[in-house]
Amino acid sequence: MSLKTLSEFNWSVMTPEFIILGVIALLTLLDLFLPKRVDRRILGWLSIAGIVAAIIALASLLGTEPTSILYDTFTLDMFGKAFKLLLLAGAGLVMFLAVSYDAKDGMEEYRGEFYYLFLTALLGAMFMTSSGDLITLFIGLELLSISSYVLAGIKKHNLQSNESAMKYVINGGISTAITLFGMSYVYGLTGSTNLAEIANKLSAVVDGQQAYLLGIAFLLIFVGLSFKLASAPFHMWAPDVYQGAPTPVTAFLSVVSKTAGFVIVIRILISVFYNAAPSGDGSSILFKMHDYLAFLAAATMIIGNVVALKQTNIKRMFAYSSIAHAGYLLVALTTLSANLIFSVWFYLLAYMLMNLGAFAVIQVVTEKTGSAKIADFAGLYRRSPVLAVTMGILLVSLAGFPGTAGFIGKLNIFVGAFYGEPHYVLASIMIAATVVSYFYYFGVMTQMFFRPARDESKFNLPFGIIVVLIVAVVGSVLFGVAPNIALDFLNKL
């Protein structure tokens, strides 16, 4: 391999990352030198401008051929472009929530730090989508994780926030160690950290002892990443972190961080282990671990939906809802259908829209009432019909009713369960779990439409909240009625 100088690399494929990096540096300096009397929300608007610029830069790269630089450690391909666009769109909507967030709980002092820590986490997630090497994947993962730990505990003087951050750090540190241990086995078996080289070498592994080590590596990596996905039984940190973190951070963890988690799962498990046939019979290690993946998917759907039924705090309920949705996505990974990438991408798109819209409503209500109890949504229709109807549409989409993006997302995964070898049990559990979810989603709607309001005061909706709600509702309905728009978009990448 001949060495290249820095000027010989096609750096233009990293333009979106360079833009986000530049905005991070700018915000850090501005927060440091601006007088304290200056409202730090201006940094949030600069962050939104930077994200929009990154989306424009990425759009200009959509027609380019797959390109690798830095000796295949960074790859801009269809997968990277599709998921990067998802991350940037989700990050932009979360930033609109952040600039509208009324920090009465001690976060105002650290509002400036919030914006550039958030962009740092986004940068790590973007690197993960384009990583072609275990090292850059791990660096992106840690950039995302460490920033997320700080964001979860940014309400420094709030004990609940401190508790959530501590649990998140401990669980995250353990999961990172397990993941890295699994990666070390892969490196030991192949002598390479490049994903393409690893896949090529593992396809020729036929020794029984090496196959045993490969199985251990797969389990370690998947278990470590399961913490990031908040899939059962590695989900126990999620409810406390969702409840204790500021609402914009909770929205970020539920959408952007989860998307990044599935990105790294697909990058490693699909691109590497799918081609690994250690017994020499052509059967992939993923198919040999099928029962384990199916068990985790089923357990995640069941536990997430059943435990959500008993929640009285809306953020904890959405935490268990998030766990359940991770289970639906794991069904797609278990079945390994022909449209796996599209099914996962579309579901994450739908989940981003409906979940961020719901958190926008939650943020407005919790700021008004000072509480995150589901009972505080009582009579919302009388106080703000628009807000209640909007939340109703998003809850219906989360439940998976026809005519919404949530329904199409579930339908893609359900149909994929019958690809190749049919997974009747897993498909049945998915249907049953979805039916169970109706009870707690409709429980919130019952409070909004059929319970008397405790307080008749009206809501003032900030501009950022209005933007998120419009995008969420229009997107949820549009992709539910015309899902081919998303498919046509992916085909053009």
Side-chain angles (χ1 to χ4, degrees):
M1 181 185 296
S2 59
L3 296 177
K4 294 183 179 180
T5 62
L6 290 177
S7 61
E8 292 180 279
F9 291 113
N10 182 15
W11 294 107
S12 63
V13 298
M14 293 184 69
T15 304
E17 284 80 4
F18 284 135
I19 291 173
I20 297 298
L21 180 62
V23 175
I24 292 170
L26 176 63
L27 296 187
T28 306
L29 293 173
L30 287 175
D31 187 47
L32 182 62
F33 292 109
L34 280 177
K36 289 189 176 181
R37 66 178 181 274
V38 177
D39 190 350
R40 268 14 186 207
R41 279 187 175 87
I42 190 175
L43 303 184
W45 291 111
L46 287 174
S47 301
I48 292 172
I51 292 172
V52 171
I55 291 175
I56 294 172
L58 181 61
S60 68
L61 297 170
L62 293 182
T64 59
E65 294 295 322
T67 307
S68 296
I69 61 172
L70 301 173
Y71 304 104
D72 296 331
T73 59
F74 187 93
T75 303
L76 186 69
D77 52 9
M78 181 275 287
F79 178 89
K81 287 182 281 190
F83 281 92
K84 207 172 292 185
L85 190 62
L86 209 58
L87 290 169
L88 286 168
L93 293 177
V94 172
M95 196 59 75
F96 274 112
L97 292 182
V99 296
S100 305
Y101 185 63
D102 188 9
K104 297 177 182 177
D105 45 20
M107 186 185 131
E108 188 64 43
E109 183 182 353
Y110 309 103
R111 187 183 282 275
E113 285 92 330
F114 171 85
Y115 297 125
Y116 52 78
L117 281 171
F118 174 83
L119 289 181
T120 303
L122 171 63
L123 182 63
M126 290 172 68
F127 265 107
M128 287 161 59
T129 63
S130 292
S131 290
D133 193 277
L134 288 178
I135 295 175
T136 50
L137 265 175
F138 186 75
I139 290 173
L141 177 64
E142 285 307 283
L143 199 58
L144 169 66
S145 299
I146 295 172
S147 301
S148 299
Y149 302 153
V150 181
L151 288 171
I154 202 165
K155 294 191 292 185
K156 191 174 179 181
H157 305 295
N158 184 296
L159 291 179
Q160 197 174 61
S161 181
N162 294 344
E163 178 190 355
S164 70
M166 183 188 71
K167 289 179 178 179
Y168 196 18
V169 169
I170 292 173
N171 281 281
I174 293 171
S175 69
T176 297
I178 294 172
T179 303
L180 197 58
F181 192 34
M183 288 181 178
S184 70
Y185 272 92
V186 174
Y187 175 74
L189 286 168
T190 61
S192 175
T193 58
N194 182 273
L195 295 181
E197 290 183 17
I198 291 172
N200 183 51
K201 291 183 179 180
L202 288 183
S203 64
V205 172
V206 293
D207 183 79
Q209 292 181 338
Q210 289 181 326
Y212 178 75
L213 291 176
L214 187 60
I216 293 177
F218 174 85
L219 289 175
L220 287 172
I221 293 174
F222 190 76
V223 166
L225 295 178
S226 293
F227 280 94
K228 305 296 182 187
L229 305 178
S231 63
F234 316 106
H235 65 283
M236 297 307 294
W237 60 271
D240 292 325
V241 173
Y242 278 45
Q243 182 181 2
T247 304
V249 177
T250 305
F252 164 77
L253 293 175
S254 72
V255 174
V256 180
S257 183
K258 187 177 291 292
T259 299
F262 277 99
V263 164
I264 193 171
V265 165
I266 294 174
R267 274 290 188 196
I268 294 181
L269 300 187
I270 304 300
S271 65
V272 172
F273 289 101
Y274 186 81
N275 295 313
S279 62
D281 59 1
S283 179
S284 166
I285 188 71
L286 275 181
F287 289 102
K288 295 179 184 298
M289 295 293 179
H290 166 267
D291 291 341
Y292 176 74
L293 294 176
F295 171 78
L296 281 186
T300 303
M301 290 186 290
I302 293 170
I303 292 173
N305 283 308
V306 171
V307 180
L309 292 171
K310 301 296 292 181
Q311 301 306 309
T312 58
N313 183 289
I314 190 103
K315 291 172 78 173
R316 290 186 72 89
M317 189 200 85
F318 267 81
Y320 283 105
S321 165
S322 176
I323 292 166
H325 285 283
Y328 302 143
L329 285 161
L330 285 175
V331 172
L333 290 176
T334 303
T335 56
L336 292 174
S337 65
N339 65 338
L340 168 66
I341 301 298
F342 174 74
S343 296
V344 172
W345 184 85
F346 186 90
Y347 197 94
L348 288 170
L349 170 64
Y351 184 68
M352 174 194 76
L353 292 169
M354 52 199 183
N355 220 45
L356 289 181
F359 271 111
V361 178
I362 291 170
Q363 179 171 307
V364 172
V365 175
T366 54
E367 286 178 359
K368 185 77 171 179
T369 62
S371 168
K373 292 182 179 179
I374 296 176
D376 293 326
F377 284 76
L380 182 61
Y381 181 71
R382 293 175 177 81
R383 300 174 66 185
S384 178
V386 173
L387 211 56
V389 171
T390 299
M391 185 65 163
I393 293 171
L394 296 169
L395 288 174
V396 164
S397 184
L398 281 163
F401 263 59
T404 64
F407 170 75
I408 300 298
K410 285 185 173 68
L411 182 64
N412 287 333
I413 294 174
F414 180 77
V415 172
F418 298 97
Y419 173 81
E421 180 185 350
H423 296 76
Y424 296 112
V425 175
L426 206 54
S428 301
I429 292 174
M430 183 178 176
I431 293 175
T434 300
V435 172
V436 170
S437 73
Y438 295 167
F439 287 91
Y440 59 83
Y441 287 135
F442 289 171
V444 179
M445 294 178 69
T446 300
Q447 292 289 337
M448 293 191 300
F449 292 101
F450 303 111
R451 296 288 183 269
R454 298 180 181 179
D455 180 7
E456 296 294 336
S457 61
K458 303 299 182 182
F459 291 93
N460 294 319
L461 299 182
F463 174 74
I465 296 293
I466 294 173
V467 171
V468 175
L469 291 178
I470 291 174
V471 172
V473 172
V474 171
S476 295
V477 174
L478 177 63
F479 290 115
V481 176
N484 285 340
I485 296 174
L487 181 59
D488 292 341
F489 170 75
L490 277 188
N491 289 334
K492 291 178 182 178
L493 294 181

